[in-house]
């Protein structure tokens, strides 16, 4: 599984905002999220009035596989993805996300879904010109070096 592809999939996300249920709204978007392709774990947190996100887990196919690097050669472990997602409505935020493959910046919109998932839509200029990805909460631990195996993810998040 390509880890850069997993992170890149973050960049192209969602169809439209939904209204989260009371329990999901109370917990909000902060926490650990498993990407749709199960290739990475993203930590979303509050940064003042905005939301921030960084890569905290990267699923590697083998223990000897090197940690992926971004366009500048920096490890993708703990790589910031966004820091300016401002609230634009109930359970809805809008900001920009950086593609670690090439450094390009995309517009993005994220929202909580009634089922407790988090959707993200990455797009260029017009929201219609983009893709959506849906993340699920990740209940497991992530190591300081970000390295996870597919078995780690299955043990924490269950089978697909």
């Amino acid at each position: 599984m390509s880890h850069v592809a997993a992170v890149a999939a973050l960049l192209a996300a969602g169809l439209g905002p939904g209204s989260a249920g009371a329990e999901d709204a109370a917990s909000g978007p902060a926490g650990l999220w498993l990407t749709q392709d199960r290739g990475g774990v993203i930590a979303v947190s509050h940064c003042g009035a905005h939301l921030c996100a960084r890569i905290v887990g990267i699923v590697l196919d083998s223990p000897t596989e090197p940690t992926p690097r971004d366009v500048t050669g920096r490890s993708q472990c703990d790589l910031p993805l966004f820091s300016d997602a401002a609230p634009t409505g109930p359970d809805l935020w809008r900001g920009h996300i950086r593609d670690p493959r090439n450094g390009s910046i995309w517009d993005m919109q994220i929202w909580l879904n009634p089922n407790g998932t988090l959707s993200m839509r990455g797009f260029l200029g017009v929201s219609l010109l983009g893709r959506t990805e849906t993340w699920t909460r990740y209940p497991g631990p992530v190591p300081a070096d970000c390295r996870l195996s597919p078995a780690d993810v299955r043990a924490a998040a269950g089978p697909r």
Side-chain angles (χ1 to χ4, degrees), residues 122-134:
F123 56 95
L124 291 173
V126 179
S127 179
L128 293 173
L129 304 175
R131 287 188 347 203
T132 299
E133 179 168 313
T134 301

Side-chain angles (χ1 to χ4, degrees), residues 6 11 14 26 28-29 36 48-50 58 61 72 74-75 78 80 82 93 96 120 124 128 131 137-138:
L11 303 175
Q36 185 169 312
H50 297 100
I58 301 169
D61 291 329
T72 67
R74 177 180 165 199
S75 170
D78 209 36
F82 61 83
W93 297 263
H96 302 89
M120 184 184 62
L124 291 173
L128 293 173
R131 287 188 347 203
R137 290 223 183 251
Y138 184 74

Side-chain angles (χ1 to χ4, degrees), residues 98-142:
R98 184 176 64 146
D99 182 341
R101 298 173 305 162
N102 59 23
S104 64
I105 304 295
W106 295 66
D107 292 317
M108 66 141 195
Q109 187 175 42
I110 58 176
W111 61 92
L112 285 169
N113 295 303
N115 66 358
T117 59
L118 185 71
S119 290
M120 184 184 62
R121 181 165 187 75
F123 56 95
L124 291 173
V126 179
S127 179
L128 293 173
L129 304 175
R131 287 188 347 203
T132 299
E133 179 168 313
T134 301
W135 300 343
T136 56
R137 290 223 183 251
Y138 184 74
V142 289

Side-chain angles (χ1 to χ4, degrees), residues 27-113:
S27 61
L32 298 177
W33 295 93
L34 182 62
T35 59
Q36 185 169 312
D37 70 355
R38 294 179 152 230
V41 177
I42 310 303
V44 175
S45 60
H46 294 280
C47 299
H50 297 100
L51 291 177
C52 300
R54 60 190 173 85
I55 300 169
V56 296
I58 301 169
V59 180
L60 302 172
D61 291 329
S62 97
T64 59
E65 186 176 348
T67 302
R69 304 216 167 261
D70 75 356
V71 67
T72 67
R74 177 180 165 199
S75 170
Q76 288 184 13
C77 181
D78 209 36
L79 183 75
L81 293 177
F82 61 83
S83 62
D84 68 346
T88 59
D91 299 326
L92 179 65
W93 297 263
R94 189 170 179 145
H96 302 89
I97 190 166
R98 184 176 64 146
D99 182 341
R101 298 173 305 162
N102 59 23
S104 64
I105 304 295
W106 295 66
D107 292 317
M108 66 141 195
Q109 187 175 42
I110 58 176
W111 61 92
L112 285 169
N113 295 303

